[in-house]
Amino acid sequence: MTAAGYRAGGSITMRWAALCVVATVLALAGFANAKVVEHDFEVAYVDAAPDCYAKTVIGINGVYPGPTIRAVQGDILKITFHNYIATEGITMHWHGIRQVGSAWADGTAAVAQCPILYGESFTYEFIVDRPGTYFYHGHFGSQRAAGFYGALIVDLPAGKHEPYHYDGEHMIIVNDWWHRPIVTQEQGLEAIPFKFVGDPQSLLLEGRGRYNCSAVPTYTPAAISCNQTDERCAPHVMKVERGKTYRLRLASVASLSSLNFKIEGHKMKVVEADGHNVQPFWTDNLDLYSGETYSVLVSANMPGDNYHLGLNVRGREDHNVPTGLGILNYNNAPVRQPSTPAPKGPAWDDFEASKRQARKYKALKHNPDPTSHALDRHAKVTRTLILLTTQQKLKGHIKWAINNVTYAPLPTPVLAGLVYNISGSYDTAPPPDKMPADYNIYAPPPVTETNKGSGVYQFKTGDVVDVIIQNCGNLQNISENHPWHLHGHDFWILGYGDGKYDPKTSPKTFNLKNPPMRNNVPTFPFAWTAIRFKLDNPGAWPFHCHIEWHVHLGMGVVFAHGIEEVRAKGIPNSVLGCGLTKQLFKLR
Ligand SMILES: *[C@@H]1O[C@H](CO)[C@@H](O)[C@H](O)[C@H]1NC(C)=O
Ligand SMILES: *[C@@H]1O[C@H](CO)[C@@H](O)[C@H](O)[C@H]1NC(C)=O
Ligand SMILES: *[C@@H]1O[C@H](CO)[C@@H](O)[C@H](O)[C@H]1NC(C)=O
Ligand SMILES: *[C@@H]1O[C@H](CO)[C@@H](O)[C@H](O)[C@H]1NC(C)=O
Ligand SMILES: *[C@@H]1O[C@H](CO)[C@@H](O)[C@H](O)[C@H]1NC(C)=O
Ligand SMILES: [Cu+2]
């Protein structure tokens, strides 16, 4: 293991035009004491045993999960990745960071940049302009599911305070976990017949869970991999002192499952969602969809020494996936998992409970953070997209499609394709804005064959866009949650509605008073979700289901705007080199 080369307060070297952009933004935003936060991340396969079952994962500086990055609002992050994996390219996405003025640093393979190849290094350089709870994760293939992620926390500058009080804080990344390698899982999804990844073997808190090794047949190769006394799968412990209040930051990097988090005997006051403070509300269980982050306040005001932290599957039949367990430990008492029953939230199919909770999120009236804009309810909506999400087939392969197009990334990054106007780097025909008005969402598609595409929804800077995501059933007419994540922008959540979206009546139900601003939103079974956002950050930005296996099957689109501005500022050559960008260097 190599120690991360951490340096703070270093001087800014004007290496790229892009950095000048960052510096300008910095000066404009008036972050007086901004510093440069640098890290060196060496990426390699490492042996891990998150749930007692040894497995090769993608580690950073020899560890899994990756190190927590901490910075102050306004800081410039300069994170250099060195790829030591001989057989895989890598990229890193900074989830929830809008990349204002640095679209090339968003870390999405096929959209923002070329993958970082074996033996190569690449530096991400961007400003963290908003305080909050974020995370970073690989965005090439399904590498997030291979353990390639970590936390990113942005603090308020000294002297500024959140509109809530706490004495200490903790961070827990939650995840669902499989024993089979991602390449095997991906191959199954692409196969005919389709082989689904199935239920997770475990649920992890901060990279720790527990698989029942006695269930593994002895004298099999699997038995050698499973060791219940391996200390790497000792439960995660959250230490508290009685009488104090803690800010618990949570993030879900789950590949498939919607999750629900509980603390035995304790209520949680939800105060932050996806980097925005929200109107506080109390709950005894918290739904977390993949891609979401939260802060909850927990008062350590109970007698006793140890309480369960519990994580359960929501939204899809879990076939008894065991509760992921951690421990809330008081006053340094001896740590032990309580013998009380594991905490359980609502039943997996209690969607009404999830909808009630989703509707509790409201924007804070007086938000001290000016980057959390309130919705201008008089703003003219310049375009409305109604995106129907269906499961269909492409020459026998199961796919997810948006308005009858399954997104198939091409090898040239879309941003470079647009900036350099490279013919053939994406489909120039724009994908459809609307679903067919007479579409029956309560039945599988009448014609299951879909179309493969790499088109881009192009907008003008300043456009205000409403996007309706219409969820329906899969090929078996089973409808599930899909959490949607937007890169480069936050959006207002205007509302959720059951059934089919009606352009005439549904908008009347929108919350235009205090919609929360977020970058992630769930859709519920046979229901629609409406969001609005302003295109004010030039670049090419994916909008996709955050379920790793769904995006792999084409459940996403790309939005772009302001390419002239990106072109004027320039993108670094380090993001080029693959696909049709090779022609820019006149390679033979
Ligand atoms: C673990 O698996 C064994 C064998 O299947 C079973 O007897 C035991 O009850 C399980 N333990 C737990 C805690 O589930
Ligand atoms: C299981 O892990 C413990 C603790 O690391 C170690 O002492 C023990 O030898 C391991 N057992 C096997 C069978 O590898
Ligand atoms: C992009 O290239 C095409 C030809 O491939 C040309 O017709 C078009 O005008 C170019 N667009 C811009 C913005 O340069
Ligand atoms: C699909 O499921 C929905 C919701 O359960 C149901 O109302 C509908 O009748 C089903 N459609 C078919 C064709 O089975
Ligand atoms: C989707 O596209 C396929 C292939 O072009 C076509 O056969 C089918 O009718 C389309 N479905 C809808 C609902 O438009
Ligand atoms: Cu999905």
Side-chain angles (χ1 to χ4, degrees):
M1 184 184 134
T2 338
Y6 177 86
R7 245 181 314 140
S11 67
I12 307 165
T13 21
M14 296 289 174
R15 268 206 304 159
W16 299 326
L19 185 55
C20 302
V21 175
V22 168
T24 316
V25 171
L26 187 73
L28 290 174
F31 297 114
N33 300 308
K35 61 183 189 305
V36 178
V37 175
E38 287 188 68
H39 288 278
D40 255 296
F41 282 176
E42 297 186 350
V43 178
Y45 289 138
V46 298
D47 182 58
D51 64 348
C52 308
Y53 190 100
K55 182 185 169 179
T56 299
V57 305
I58 300 181
I60 296 175
N61 294 340
V63 298
Y64 157 83
T68 296
I69 300 175
R70 200 136 196 156
V72 174
Q73 180 180 24
D75 284 353
I76 292 170
L77 259 54
K78 222 169 141 177
I79 318 286
T80 301
F81 283 80
H82 309 279
N83 182 6
Y84 290 103
I85 303 176
T87 52
E88 293 186 58
I90 56 168
T91 67
M92 187 53 76
H93 170 58
W94 312 93
H95 188 107
I97 306 298
R98 288 166 301 164
Q99 300 291 353
V100 176
S102 50
W104 61 268
D106 192 42
T108 49
V111 178
Q113 70 170 109
C114 295
I116 309 161
L117 298 181
Y118 171 62
E120 290 186 348
S121 300
F122 180 92
T123 303
Y124 292 92
E125 200 149 352
F126 56 93
I127 189 166
V128 284
D129 63 341
R130 204 181 49 216
T133 308
Y134 307 99
F135 60 98
Y136 59 89
H137 65 81
H139 215 296
F140 184 38
S142 311
Q143 290 178 339
R144 188 181 87 227
F148 197 24
Y149 61 81
L152 167 57
I153 297 172
V154 182
D155 291 309
L156 279 166
K160 290 203 175 177
H161 300 283
E162 299 288 10
Y164 38 87
H165 166 82
Y166 52 95
D167 305 299
E169 64 167 83
H170 291 277
M171 172 92 206
I172 297 179
I173 299 187
V174 299
N175 198 8
D176 46 5
W177 195 250
W178 283 259
H179 293 164
R180 290 196 309 159
I182 56 166
V183 286
T184 311
Q185 292 173 298
E186 287 174 2
Q187 187 269 326
L189 298 176
E190 285 153 25
I192 304 176
F194 180 78
K195 222 183 279 153
F196 192 55
V197 299
D199 295 314
Q201 274 74 62
S202 314
L203 302 178
L204 309 181
L205 289 91
E206 243 346 65
R208 290 160 180 273
R210 183 148 286 226
Y211 184 73
N212 182 359
C213 292
S214 337
V216 176
T218 41
Y219 307 116
T220 60
I224 301 160
S225 304
C226 213
N227 182 353
Q228 211 99 58
T229 57
D230 191 322
E231 57 215 38
R232 294 175 296 177
C233 60
H236 175 71
V237 180
M238 172 173 158
K239 288 196 170 278
V240 294
E241 263 180 64
R242 189 165 289 106
K244 300 215 156 145
T245 297
Y246 292 84
R247 176 182 188 169
L248 172 58
R249 299 174 188 265
L250 294 154
S252 173
V253 296
S255 308
L256 174 68
S257 319
S258 303
L259 298 167
N260 183 273
F261 177 77
K262 264 185 94 113
I263 308 176
E264 184 185 22
H266 295 70
K267 286 200 160 222
M268 297 173 273
K269 190 181 192 180
V270 183
V271 292
E272 183 212 356
D274 295 356
H276 295 275
N277 290 323
V278 294
Q279 282 186 26
F281 68 89
W282 288 94
T283 186
D284 70 350
N285 73 86
L286 181 77
D287 281 334
L288 290 124
Y289 301 93
S290 178
E292 293 183 337
T293 67
Y294 290 100
S295 284
V296 298
L297 301 182
V298 184
S299 295
N301 56 6
M302 293 295 286
D305 296 336
N306 295 289
Y307 291 85
H308 287 298
L309 303 175
L311 193 64
N312 293 289
V313 171
R314 298 276 286 122
R316 86 188 330 269
E317 191 169 4
D318 64 4
H319 309 105
N320 301 318
V321 173
T323 300
L325 291 174
I327 298 169
L328 177 75
N329 174 263
Y330 272 80
N331 295 14
N332 283 318
V335 174
R336 57 166 188 85
Q337 196 80 54
S339 52
T340 44
K344 289 270 180 199
W348 72 267
D349 57 353
D350 186 353
F351 292 105
E352 293 310 316
S354 291
K355 291 179 198 173
R356 277 197 301 276
Q357 190 166 105
R359 289 194 172 103
K360 283 188 181 160
Y361 290 91
K362 302 269 162 59
L364 208 55
K365 210 175 279 165
H366 300 291
N367 202 332
D369 174 15
T371 57
S372 288
H373 306 290
L375 175 78
D376 173 5
R377 73 182 86 172
H378 303 296
K380 196 173 168 295
V381 177
T382 45
R383 190 160 155 196
T384 300
L385 304 182
I386 304 177
L387 305 180
L388 171 72
T389 64
T390 49
Q391 197 176 57
Q392 287 168 256
K393 289 194 170 182
L394 190 70
K395 299 189 172 76
H397 302 274
I398 290 187
K399 298 286 175 192
W400 282 98
I402 315 301
N403 288 351
N404 210 7
V405 180
T406 182
Y407 190 78
L410 295 178
T412 310
V414 173
L415 184 67
L418 289 165
V419 165
Y420 291 100
N421 193 19
I422 307 169
S423 154
S425 57
Y426 60 93
D427 290 347
T428 45
D433 274 20
K434 300 261 157 54
M435 62 187 268
D438 59 353
Y439 191 86
N440 177 11
I441 66 155
Y442 294 109
V447 180
T448 56
E449 191 68 11
T450 188
N451 306 284
K452 186 168 145 176
S454 62
V456 177
Y457 289 92
Q458 301 211 45
F459 302 92
K460 285 196 286 298
T461 299
D463 273 357
V464 176
V465 179
D466 278 3
V467 179
I468 319 301
I469 311 147
Q470 177 69 62
N471 194 10
C472 57
N474 61 12
L475 289 168
Q476 287 80 46
N477 195 36
I478 296 167
S479 189
E480 296 173 336
N481 298 121
H482 299 273
W484 282 76
H485 171 60
L486 178 60
H487 293 232
H489 296 81
D490 295 325
F491 47 70
W492 294 282
I493 301 175
L494 301 181
Y496 306 93
D498 289 337
K500 189 172 164 182
Y501 180 78
D502 180 338
K504 283 205 186 67
T505 57
S506 302
K508 296 198 174 97
T509 67
F510 286 175
N511 171 16
L512 300 178
K513 190 169 154 240
N514 52 12
M517 197 180 215
R518 302 191 59 167
N519 59 59
N520 232 82
V521 69
T523 58
F524 297 103
F526 299 108
W528 54 265
T529 292
I531 62 169
R532 177 175 298 174
F533 60 103
K534 188 171 177 183
L535 290 133
D536 56 5
N537 184 24
W541 308 109
F543 177 56
H544 62 91
C545 175
H546 209 261
I547 292 176
E548 193 77 288
W549 316 122
H550 290 180
V551 74
H552 191 81
L553 297 171
M555 200 170 202
V557 295
V558 177
F559 296 150
H561 74 102
I563 294 305
E564 322 72 48
E565 292 162 65
V566 181
R567 191 182 295 129
K569 287 169 185 164
I571 57 174
N573 282 346
S574 56
V575 302
L576 308 175
C578 60
L580 299 170
T581 67
K582 277 183 265 188
Q583 72 194 41
L584 299 170
F585 302 109
K586 301 205 165 34
L587 292 183
R588 272 175 297 153

